[in-house]
Amino acid sequence: LIGLFVTFQITSEYINIVRNKGIHPSKWWIRFVGILFWFTTSLPVFGYPSDLPIKLYVFVFTFGVIGCFFRLIFRGNKNEPIASISDIGASVLGFIYTGLLPSFFLLIRELGFIYVIVTILAVAYCDIGAYFGGKILGKNPLKPEISPKKTLEGSLSGFVFSLLMTVTLVYFNQEAFNHNLFHGVMIGIFAGIFSQFGDLFESLLKRDAGLKDSGNLLLSHGGLLDRSDSYFFVLWAVYFYLLWVVKP
């Protein structure tokens, strides 16, 4: 139920962003395919093989794309305009960004709860390090045309914080990581780099749409998408690293 709520909320906030740009994606199709990704990921809970979800992802993605085309081809009335290339692109991006990428959270959970904790804290400490590093040391803008407040010093601080956190966690949970601290280094690198790309990507969307926040669910902290965007680009990388290297 929590997954369904999160999916519905972040897709709604994404739709709000692109609609503010004058783009009209298929909002219900984005939500449907996003929930379908979460349902597919949950299959092992009901006794299905743990590797089934990742095998079904190609089908779900292809079904989502083709279904999107059909949905938008037959759209066009006084309430909804005829679909454009932008509408189609935003629809496909929508269920990838708010459905496919977040669903890797449950796949990591299937591998072990400790891996979820490590991933969450790695991204969280990257955000913390980037904030305080930028506030104390920040001088050189990172990408001012997208996010004026982010600095190179803050970015490097976030990377170091993430790396230190993952190595520390792996050190105290060595059995889950085959007694190899190098796994902590790699996960820290993934989190320290990809989480900042995730944050910049959402900033790009909001800036293009002329918005400061994706929503107001969290009041002064913006929307749920604003608080979770950093995780989306990290989850898939950590999952495949765990699957292929840590737990082959």
Side-chain angles (χ1 to χ4, degrees):
L1 291 178
I2 294 177
L4 291 176
F5 168 75
V6 170
T7 301
F8 188 87
Q9 182 62 33
I10 61 177
T11 53
S12 297
E13 292 177 11
Y14 166 80
I15 292 165
N16 174 59
I17 292 174
V18 296
R19 279 183 173 267
N20 206 66
K21 178 66 177 174
I23 300 172
H24 301 277
S26 179
K27 57 183 180 179
W28 290 109
W29 190 255
I30 293 174
R31 292 184 178 118
F32 172 71
V33 179
I35 292 172
L36 190 58
F37 272 115
W38 278 93
F39 175 76
T40 302
T41 310
S42 304
L43 289 176
V45 176
F46 302 101
Y48 291 93
S50 59
D51 62 343
L52 181 60
I54 204 68
K55 292 179 179 179
L56 290 176
Y57 267 20
V58 174
F59 168 77
V60 175
F61 175 76
T62 306
F63 172 77
V65 172
I66 299 302
C68 173
F69 293 165
F70 273 104
R71 168 68 183 92
L72 292 176
I73 283 172
F74 293 102
R75 191 179 78 179
N77 52 50
K78 62 180 181 181
N79 297 318
E80 292 184 304
I82 295 175
S84 66
I85 294 174
S86 298
D87 297 338
I88 296 170
S91 298
V92 175
L93 174 62
F95 65 71
I96 293 174
Y97 184 49
T98 65
L100 171 61
L101 296 182
S103 70
F104 279 94
F105 178 86
L106 289 182
L107 292 178
I108 294 175
R109 174 64 184 87
E110 284 300 311
L111 296 177
F113 189 67
I114 182 60
Y115 304 124
V116 174
I117 297 299
V118 171
T119 304
I120 290 175
L121 290 180
V123 175
Y125 270 76
C126 182
D127 287 345
I128 293 170
Y131 175 77
F132 286 105
K135 199 168 187 179
I136 298 170
L137 304 172
K139 292 182 179 179
N140 300 292
L142 180 63
K143 193 70 175 174
E145 58 269 37
I146 295 178
S147 186
K149 294 183 179 180
K150 288 182 172 59
T151 64
L152 179 61
E153 293 80 6
S155 177
L156 292 174
S157 298
F159 179 82
V160 172
F161 267 58
S162 178
L163 201 59
L164 291 175
M165 173 52 63
T166 53
V167 170
T168 301
L169 289 172
V170 170
Y171 177 79
F172 287 105
N173 296 275
Q174 293 194 37
E175 188 173 343
F177 293 91
N178 305 322
H179 302 276
N180 190 343
L181 288 179
F182 180 72
H183 296 323
V185 174
M186 290 304 299
I187 294 174
I189 290 173
F190 292 146
I193 295 176
F194 290 141
S195 67
Q196 299 192 59
F197 275 112
D199 194 24
L200 284 171
F201 180 74
E202 200 224 355
S203 295
L204 174 64
L205 296 180
K206 291 187 296 185
R207 193 165 189 81
D208 189 42
L211 295 173
K212 180 178 181 293
D213 297 315
S214 65
N216 56 12
L217 179 68
L218 304 177
L219 303 179
S220 61
H221 293 283
L224 191 59
L225 187 58
D226 293 320
R227 301 276 68 84
S228 57
D229 56 357
S230 299
Y231 293 89
F232 295 172
F233 282 31
V234 177
L235 295 172
W236 70 272
V238 172
Y239 171 74
F240 284 115
Y241 181 78
L242 292 171
L243 185 68
W244 291 341
V245 181
V246 179
K247 299 173 70 70

